[in-house]
Amino acid sequence: MDILRFATAGSVDDGKSTLIGRLLYDSKAIFEDQLEAVERTSRDRGTEYTDLSLLTDGLRAEREQGITIDVAYRYFATPRRKFIIADTPGHIQYTRNMVTGASTADLAIILIDARKGVLEQSRRHAFLTSLLRVPHLVLAVNKMDLVDYSQERFEEIREEFTAFASKLNVSDLTFIPISALNGDNVVSRSQNTPWYLGTSLLHHLENVHIASDRNLTDVRFPVQYVIRPQRANDHAFHDYRGYAGQVAGGVLKPGDEVVHLPSGLTTRIASIDTFDGPVEEAFPPMSVTLRFEDDIDISRGDMIARPNNQPHVAQELEAMVCWMADGIKLTPRSKLSIKHTTRTARALVRDLHYRLDVNTLHRDEEATSLGLNEIGRVSLRITQPLFVDDYARNRQTGGFILVDEATNGTVGAGMVLDAS
Amino acid sequence: MLQRDYTTSQLDVLEAEAIHIMREVAAEFERPCLLFSGGKDSIVMLRLAEKAFWPAAIPFPLMHVDTGHNFKEVIEFRDRRSVELGARLIVASVQDSIDQGRVVEETGRRASRNRLQTTTLLDAIEEHEFDAVFGGARRDEEKARAKERVFSFRDDFGQWDPKNQRPELWSLYNARIRKGEHIRVFPLSNWTELDVWDYIRREGIEIPSIYFAHTRKVFERDGMLLPDSEVVQRGDDEPLFEAVVRYRTVGDMTCTGAVQSPAATVEEIIEEIAATRITERGATRADDRSSEAAMEDRKREGYF
Ligand SMILES: Nc1nc2c(ncn2[C@@H]2O[C@H](COP(=O)(O)OP(=O)(O)OP(=O)(O)O)[C@@H](O)[C@H]2O)c(=O)[nH]1
Ligand SMILES: [Mg+2]
């Protein structure tokens, strides 16, 4: 059984949390005590129906305000797949938490309230999912019960969204009319939408093909930790020196010729070790330990690749940055700490080329700063070379975070462009 | 040519993720420690730590916050396992905190040392200057836990601020803190109860005997079966009886309930859990029942 990670997105009150509650409930992933607690709270508040959003809105403040503030992670499994759900907030103030939830997603469900149509926040989230290269997108037109399950309304929204999406990088887009509250087309196809010929949402989640979303072509192994046993009486491993990490791309095999960066020295993989014994190959997302035939000085933050397929060694970076700080702004000359794979360095913002208006995708080249939840294209200079790929090619070796050195807060998420 | 599709099973994905998290902590922090209670989640976490650093030893000590009200089978297991691994075990004792006047023992029938543990834990973190503390909590356990990051920042009072968590993107964890602050790290964040059991079966991991069906003298309170023990106060209206039970979670004896179950092997436990309709904390933990936000409130104060 494999794992599908998906995130919900969309504007406030479009029904994201209710949908997750519905999926969990209908797939029998809700336990009796959880349901009882939710029923009790709904009753206490005078809600006539069981408010399924309470299943994921777990914080006191969220339940008091009836909104989602931070991502909730929930889990369920069907005989076909295990699902990890990130239920993200729709409120613009909490966009950074939406970005947190979407960064690891294989699929995003953007909800739209059928009465309201495509809103600014729907466009913002669609843009962010495409920027984060979430490979599969579902547009769920929700609250169909409130528009009499009208096919016409569904088609209108589909057209409007398709027009917007044509300006984004969306490779796989599916439209489904649903009612999260009543369960139409969530787990099984609904009789209320005879005109809809597609599958239910759950059926789609169970069957969407994700195996080929990983990069199995470009060998990338960021060295995370050097393993040198120092048990005094352990002669068997006295000279052991292994390089531990999680494979970020490609397939590695013993005997393969590899290159070490930054040195540029080549060697061969002597063995791929794990606690359970050596393995014949390693690929994403395996965590393994490599040993090499030659003695090379290798430390955390270094990269292993293939001599004929190397990442870019860059001290100057072009990137899209999503700024996530309250208060502090990103401006030219900002100095920040940058973490990319296992390497941490300092970054200087050399230039802010433009700020993006997520509604129109207009580039404002006059912009002089990025504030909370704003997105723009920047040039960075890094104190040490980083080993990067285009984010579009590899999310692991193309993504980085920016940390403010005064507050230690994570203030930016970056995606490498035009690595060359 | 046959095309290999390089799929990975869910347990392999979860294991790889947890190992990555543990190595990240070992690389980025000066003084990490791993909370080891002898319960199933921390036992799995310990196995993952073994795997992450093999053939080297686990590069950090283990710590247990001992309420003095723990099951003896679990304490024996804890001690034996630490010795087998050659790991240093630090025991932080709630009794010591009481003796030193740091906390005051609750009184009455429902007295529990559960909440007192937070002070003992935070004092120990401060005393040993730990900057990263591994916990075995899972997001599927409880609705406040479902909100927590893998690297969860704690201020110098050990507090969690759920409304102001650091964004956490991809698998890039922000390890920067100031002196006195620390990070709670949850490598099992994405595991479910069933994943933990499937892993215990797959790896053939030993667990304390109280997880398996056994005959025990118990009494009923609030629909939970509490054990007969000198540390649990029982009223005259709470008669003892013998039952075949097992534990789904192991915590403090005063607030951890047993479930009636004939499951005597890991396979039988997995079957039982796959069919159950009640969450593990709902079935067994009095500490979560006190109010709707009981866990969130305790976590804000610095609880596990
Ligand atoms: N009639 C109807 N109401 C719905 C449907 N889905 C959700 N709602 C209601 O819409 C309101 C908002 O739902 P939530 O699930 O909290 O919305 P959300 O998108 O999670 O909101 P945020 O997380 O705060 O952005 C609640 O009152 C729901 O009961 C639907 O399909 N039909
Ligand atoms: Mg919500």
Side-chain angles (χ1 to χ4, degrees):
Chain A
M1 205 160 58
D2 65 349
I3 296 186
L4 179 89
R5 296 179 199 242
F6 71 91
T8 57
S11 196
V12 185
D13 279 352
D14 282 351
K16 297 176 288 297
S17 301
T18 308
L19 173 66
I20 298 313
R22 171 58 63 187
L23 268 174
L24 294 171
Y25 181 76
D26 284 355
S27 60
K28 313 241 174 330
I30 298 294
F31 295 90
E32 280 165 19
D33 53 313
Q34 291 173 321
L35 192 63
E36 267 165 34
V38 165
E39 281 169 348
R40 200 174 332 113
T41 310
S42 301
R43 246 193 336 271
D44 292 351
R45 295 189 178 168
T47 317
E48 298 123 57
Y49 53 88
T50 302
D51 184 355
L52 293 175
S53 71
L54 294 170
L55 285 167
T56 55
D57 289 338
L59 298 176
R60 192 191 278 283
E62 295 178 321
R63 297 158 89 85
E64 280 165 12
Q65 297 170 43
I67 59 163
T68 306
I69 292 173
D70 209 333
V71 202
Y73 293 92
R74 298 302 304 251
Y75 306 83
F76 76 103
T78 66
R80 292 194 66 112
R81 258 188 184 150
K82 168 170 168 141
F83 297 95
I84 300 183
I85 316 170
D87 180 32
T88 75
H91 205 287
I92 182 163
Q93 188 186 343
Y94 306 117
T95 302
R96 59 183 178 198
N97 298 332
M98 178 271 173
V99 171
T100 289
S103 70
T104 50
D106 303 304
L107 178 148
I109 304 174
I110 297 194
L111 277 91
I112 296 218
D113 184 328
R115 297 167 306 171
K116 299 183 187 158
V118 184
L119 302 176
E120 168 169 357
Q121 197 62 347
S122 335
R123 280 191 281 267
R124 181 188 302 273
H125 282 183
F127 173 71
L128 285 169
T129 46
S130 88
L131 186 70
L132 288 163
R133 299 277 169 170
V134 178
H136 308 274
L137 187 59
V138 173
L139 196 92
V141 180
N142 187 31
K143 308 200 186 181
M144 288 300 292
D145 54 306
L146 298 180
V147 296
D148 295 327
Y149 299 97
S150 154
Q151 176 174 16
E152 207 187 326
R153 185 67 187 128
F154 176 73
E155 293 301 340
E156 258 170 43
I157 292 171
R158 185 215 290 265
E159 266 166 43
E160 190 183 350
F161 190 83
T162 306
F164 179 72
S166 67
K167 297 187 248 172
L168 308 174
N169 284 304
V170 183
S171 48
D172 174 27
L173 176 59
T174 307
F175 292 83
I176 307 180
I178 64 166
S179 165
L181 194 68
N182 299 339
D184 298 282
N185 293 327
V186 174
V187 167
S188 48
R189 283 185 51 190
S190 167
Q191 314 238 309
N192 292 321
T193 52
W195 44 266
Y196 171 68
L197 302 175
T199 62
S200 73
L201 177 63
L202 182 62
H203 187 269
H204 183 70
L205 296 174
E206 283 184 312
N207 291 288
V208 60
H209 183 69
I210 53 167
S212 52
D213 297 340
R214 270 174 311 168
N215 182 326
L216 294 171
T217 315
D218 312 318
V219 168
R220 300 289 183 265
F221 185 82
V223 176
Q224 192 185 7
Y225 190 82
V226 182
I227 294 184
R228 278 189 306 139
Q230 282 162 330
R231 306 190 210 212
N233 46 9
D234 207 345
H235 298 301
F237 294 109
H238 196 76
D239 295 321
Y240 189 95
R241 185 183 273 265
Y243 303 95
Q246 187 166 25
V247 183
V251 180
L252 298 103
K253 295 190 174 73
D256 282 354
E257 188 176 34
V258 291
V259 62
H260 165 251
L261 297 172
S263 75
L265 296 172
T266 57
T267 180
R268 283 180 193 280
I269 298 177
S271 151
I272 305 176
D273 293 346
T274 73
F275 174 88
D276 301 293
V279 293
E280 279 312 304
E281 50 188 6
F283 47 88
M286 289 169 69
S287 283
V288 295
T289 301
L290 303 183
R291 281 186 297 130
F292 300 108
E293 286 182 357
D294 303 286
D295 230 344
I296 304 180
D297 178 13
I298 302 176
S299 42
R300 173 174 167 84
D302 295 354
M303 179 75 80
I304 303 299
R306 300 274 276 169
N308 58 358
N309 177 342
Q310 304 190 21
H312 303 283
V313 180
Q315 259 181 285
E316 305 279 339
L317 279 188
E318 288 296 306
M320 291 299 287
V321 166
C322 175
W323 192 249
M324 306 187 290
D326 258 327
I328 326 159
K329 286 185 183 303
L330 176 143
T331 59
R333 308 296 306 161
S334 291
K335 291 192 186 73
L336 297 147
S337 170
I338 182 171
K339 184 167 182 183
H340 169 263
T341 67
T342 55
R343 181 166 276 221
T344 300
R346 298 186 73 207
L348 167 74
V349 179
R350 283 208 306 126
D351 203 357
L352 171 64
H353 300 290
Y354 57 80
R355 180 173 61 206
L356 242 146
D357 179 328
V358 291
N359 244 321
T360 58
L361 303 183
H362 171 75
R363 298 172 176 185
D364 179 3
E365 291 175 7
E366 308 293 297
T368 53
S369 68
L370 292 181
L372 178 65
N373 299 323
E374 292 183 333
I375 295 154
R377 178 168 176 159
V378 300
S379 301
L380 302 175
R381 176 180 296 149
I382 320 291
T383 51
Q384 287 176 45
L386 301 180
F387 314 113
V388 302
D389 293 292
D390 271 3
Y391 182 77
R393 201 165 165 88
N394 190 321
R395 278 165 113 178
Q396 265 74 48
T397 54
F400 59 84
I401 56 170
L402 298 170
V403 176
D404 178 56
E405 293 177 330
T407 62
N408 290 335
T410 307
V411 292
M415 285 138 278
V416 174
L417 299 168
D418 303 337
S420 59
Chain B
M1 201 180 86
L2 213 80
Q3 181 79 40
R4 173 126 164 47
D5 71 351
Y6 297 102
T7 49
T8 335
S9 80
Q10 54 162 333
L11 287 183
D12 289 329
V13 173
L14 293 171
E15 179 186 77
E17 177 181 82
I19 289 175
H20 171 80
I21 292 164
M22 296 189 132
R23 289 170 173 168
E24 206 56 17
V25 169
E28 296 237 0
F29 291 89
E30 312 234 314
R31 299 174 72 88
C33 90
L34 183 147
L35 292 175
F36 180 57
S37 65
K40 65 179 188 307
D41 300 314
S42 64
I43 292 170
V44 164
M45 195 162 58
L46 200 53
R47 166 57 58 92
L48 292 162
E50 256 187 293
K51 290 199 177 197
F53 304 104
W54 181 91
I58 298 172
F60 36 75
L62 317 180
M63 180 161 81
H64 182 220
V65 177
D66 190 343
T67 60
H69 291 172
N70 295 94
F71 294 92
K72 69 171 193 321
E73 296 89 336
V74 177
I75 297 298
E76 278 165 20
F77 183 91
R78 173 198 79 184
D79 293 340
R80 181 160 54 77
R81 196 75 192 99
S82 317
V83 171
E84 281 167 9
L85 284 171
R88 181 161 78 100
L89 174 71
I90 298 164
V91 177
S93 143
V94 174
Q95 186 63 53
D96 288 350
S97 302
I98 294 170
D99 295 345
Q100 290 157 14
R102 292 283 296 135
V103 291
V104 178
E105 178 111 76
E106 292 176 8
T107 54
R109 215 197 255 192
R110 283 163 196 273
S112 161
R113 290 180 169 182
N114 184 49
R115 198 152 191 148
L116 309 186
Q117 293 178 91
T118 301
T119 304
T120 310
L121 170 66
L122 294 178
D123 285 353
I125 290 173
E126 194 168 313
E127 181 194 332
H128 296 279
E129 295 178 42
F130 290 132
D131 50 8
V133 180
F134 287 106
R138 310 185 320 264
R139 287 172 176 156
D140 82 321
E141 273 180 83
E142 206 281 330
K143 60 185 183 302
R145 289 200 161 152
K147 294 273 164 181
E148 197 157 12
R149 301 280 189 260
V150 172
F151 270 41
S152 184
F153 175 79
R154 301 303 159 108
D155 66 14
D156 39 13
F157 295 96
Q159 298 181 96
W160 180 52
D161 181 0
K163 277 192 76 174
N164 198 17
Q165 301 193 79
R166 290 177 174 176
E168 191 165 82
L169 286 100
W170 303 293
S171 45
L172 291 174
Y173 302 106
N174 177 356
R176 285 178 71 113
I177 52 167
R178 296 195 192 99
K179 203 167 165 47
E181 300 167 341
H182 71 277
I183 303 276
R184 297 282 172 87
V185 184
F186 301 107
L188 304 184
S189 285
N190 289 324
W191 296 52
T192 62
E193 185 186 15
L194 204 51
D195 292 328
V196 167
W197 283 108
D198 277 337
Y199 193 73
I200 288 170
R201 170 171 61 179
R202 185 180 94 171
E203 302 287 309
I205 299 174
E206 194 194 338
I207 49 172
S209 57
I210 66 168
Y211 280 113
F212 300 105
H214 57 282
T215 306
R216 183 181 286 269
K217 278 204 181 111
V218 293
F219 67 93
E220 195 176 330
R221 178 184 292 167
D222 302 337
M224 276 189 345
L225 300 179
L226 295 179
D228 177 31
S229 155
E230 72 258 29
V231 303
V232 188
Q233 297 186 38
R234 184 169 57 84
D236 295 335
D237 53 340
E238 296 175 316
L240 280 180
F241 58 95
E242 264 193 3
V244 176
V245 298
R246 63 175 206 87
Y247 284 88
R248 254 176 102 180
T249 65
V250 306
D252 204 274
M253 272 194 275
T254 58
C255 63
T256 308
V259 291
Q260 301 223 21
S261 159
T265 63
V266 174
E267 285 73 18
E268 285 167 7
I269 290 174
I270 289 174
E271 257 175 61
E272 188 180 288
I273 292 183
T276 185
R277 302 301 316 140
I278 301 189
T279 61
E280 74 178 41
R281 296 195 79 88
T284 63
R285 296 304 270 266
D287 44 335
D288 288 347
R289 295 186 172 186
S290 47
S291 90
E292 196 180 60
M295 176 64 89
E296 179 179 343
D297 294 345
R298 276 179 296 151
K299 281 188 80 64
R300 278 171 183 276
E301 292 166 6
Y303 189 73
F304 304 106

